[in-house]
């Protein structure tokens, strides 16, 4: 069965510094998708970044980038130049390929990021 | 912008009551999902639907049922609410994931307390 593990329940970063959130997953599939979602306090969850497993190049979105290590089944999120608005719960998620008429979407347990002024 | 709305932000119910949580999306998405979010457990999938009148069980369907009579609306039903169903419930929708990766768009959540 596929699993997603976020081993850091909470992390802190100084404003303007860089922080990396870890995520590992387990799957026997070769073609899948990985996501990082952000849930700010009392606000809706939104997509931060996504990665297709068949792409070797790491995805980037402005200050957010990932380090995708397929062999190691690792998918970490790097936030550069951290801002107060980055404070949130971050969830790593895995989506399986669409087979047999369905697919699975699995979330990790989340990492709460605090940004210190 | 995609908009996913949920009928209530906060709900308090009594044990044994039948509870309806409604979710509406306005982007003609095929897929809709219901999750519950608990501290330390992340998001766990209860049910999802990838077409009108279609539904599939997620990881924790026990004690819940769903209804999708129209494409834009996906309802979660607690047939007889119990205290262990006290949780945050999140609805999400996404375009078809058959060909490409699908981003999920989430509603604001309903915090349900069962007394």
């Amino acid at each position: 069965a596929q699993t997603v593990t976020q081993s850091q329940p909470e992390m802190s970063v100084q404003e303007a510094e860089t922080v990396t959130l870890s995520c590992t997953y387990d799957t026997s599939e070769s073609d899948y998708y990985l996501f990082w979602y952000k849930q700010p306090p009392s606000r809706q969850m939104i997509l931060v970044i996504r990665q297709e497993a068949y792409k070797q190049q790491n995805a980037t979105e402005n200050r957010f980038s990932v380090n995708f290590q397929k062999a190691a089944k690792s998918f970490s999120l790097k936030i550069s130049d951290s801002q107060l608005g980055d404070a949130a719960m971050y969830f790593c998620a895995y989506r399986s390929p669409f087979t047999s008429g369905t697919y699975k979407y699995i979330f990790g347990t989340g990492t709460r990021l605090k940004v210190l002024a | 912008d995609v908009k996913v709305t949920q009928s209530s932000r906060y709900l308090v119910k009594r044990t044994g009551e039948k509870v309806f949580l409604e979710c509406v999306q306005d982007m003609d998405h095929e897929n809709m999902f219901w999750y519950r979010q608990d501290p330390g457990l992340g998001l766990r999938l209860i049910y999802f639907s990838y077409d009108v009148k279609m539904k599939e069980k997620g990881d924790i369907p026990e004690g819940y049922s769903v209804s999708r009579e129209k494409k834009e609306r996906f309802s979660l039903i607690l047939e007889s609410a119990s205290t262990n169903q006290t949780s945050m419930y999140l609805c999400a929708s996404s375009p078809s994931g058959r060909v490409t990766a699908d981003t999920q768009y989430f509603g604001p959540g309903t915090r349900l307390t069962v007394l």
Side-chain angles (χ1 to χ4, degrees), chain A residues 33 35 37 39 42-47 50 52 89 91 95 98 101-110, chain B residues 4 9 31 33 35 37 40-43 48 50 56 59 90 94 97-104 106-108:
Chain A
Y33 306 89
F35 305 82
Y37 285 89
Q39 187 180 40
S42 301
R43 291 178 59 190
Q44 284 169 249
M45 183 133 40
I46 57 172
L47 177 74
R50 73 181 188 195
E52 290 89 341
M89 182 73 89
F91 291 95
R95 205 217 82 170
F98 193 89
T102 189
Y103 63 87
K104 288 189 79 72
Y105 214 116
I106 301 167
F107 284 80
T109 52
Chain B
V4 180
R9 288 301 302 271
N31 305 323
F33 307 80
Y35 296 92
Q37 181 179 5
L41 297 178
L43 275 70
F48 71 99
Y50 49 84
E56 287 223 6
D59 298 317
L90 296 179
S94 71
R98 285 175 173 78
V99 177
T100 60
D102 54 305
T103 297
Q104 297 208 349
F106 285 84

Side-chain angles (χ1 to χ4, degrees), chain A residues 62-82:
Chain A
N62 301 314
R63 298 182 295 106
F64 298 87
S65 62
V66 298
N67 183 6
F68 173 48
Q69 302 287 329
K70 192 172 184 179
K73 296 179 182 174
S74 170
F75 183 61
S76 60
L77 174 69
K78 185 171 86 171
I79 306 173
S80 304
D81 186 26
S82 297

Side-chain angles (χ1 to χ4, degrees), chain B residues 59-77:
Chain B
D59 298 317
I60 52 165
E62 297 77 20
Y64 303 94
S65 62
V66 290
S67 171
R68 193 168 181 199
E69 297 295 319
K70 293 184 178 181
K71 192 174 185 179
E72 68 271 17
R73 191 179 298 268
F74 192 36
S75 301
L76 179 70
I77 303 154

Side-chain angles (χ1 to χ4, degrees), chain A:
Chain A
Q2 298 98 338
T3 58
V4 175
T5 302
Q6 293 179 250
S7 58
Q8 307 151 316
E10 192 170 291
M11 291 194 73
S12 296
V13 63
Q14 206 69 37
E15 202 175 1
E17 296 293 308
T18 296
V19 64
T20 299
L21 309 184
S22 301
C23 173
T24 59
Y25 58 94
D26 190 24
T27 183
S28 58
E29 305 285 351
S30 59
D31 187 20
Y32 49 86
Y33 306 89
L34 297 165
F35 305 82
W36 279 98
Y37 285 89
K38 170 185 177 182
Q39 187 180 40
S42 301
R43 291 178 59 190
Q44 284 169 249
M45 183 133 40
I46 57 172
L47 177 74
V48 176
I49 199 166
R50 73 181 188 195
Q51 174 85 40
E52 290 89 341
Y54 65 86
K55 289 186 178 179
Q56 293 188 338
Q57 189 171 8
N58 289 326
T60 62
E61 286 287 342
N62 301 314
R63 298 182 295 106
F64 298 87
S65 62
V66 298
N67 183 6
F68 173 48
Q69 302 287 329
K70 192 172 184 179
K73 296 179 182 174
S74 170
F75 183 61
S76 60
L77 174 69
K78 185 171 86 171
I79 306 173
S80 304
D81 186 26
S82 297
Q83 301 175 358
L84 294 176
D86 295 333
M89 182 73 89
Y90 287 81
F91 291 95
C92 178
Y94 162 95
R95 205 217 82 170
S96 69
F98 193 89
T99 55
S100 304
T102 189
Y103 63 87
K104 288 189 79 72
Y105 214 116
I106 301 167
F107 284 80
T109 52
T111 296
R112 183 170 301 282
L113 179 66
K114 295 183 178 180
V115 180
L116 308 173

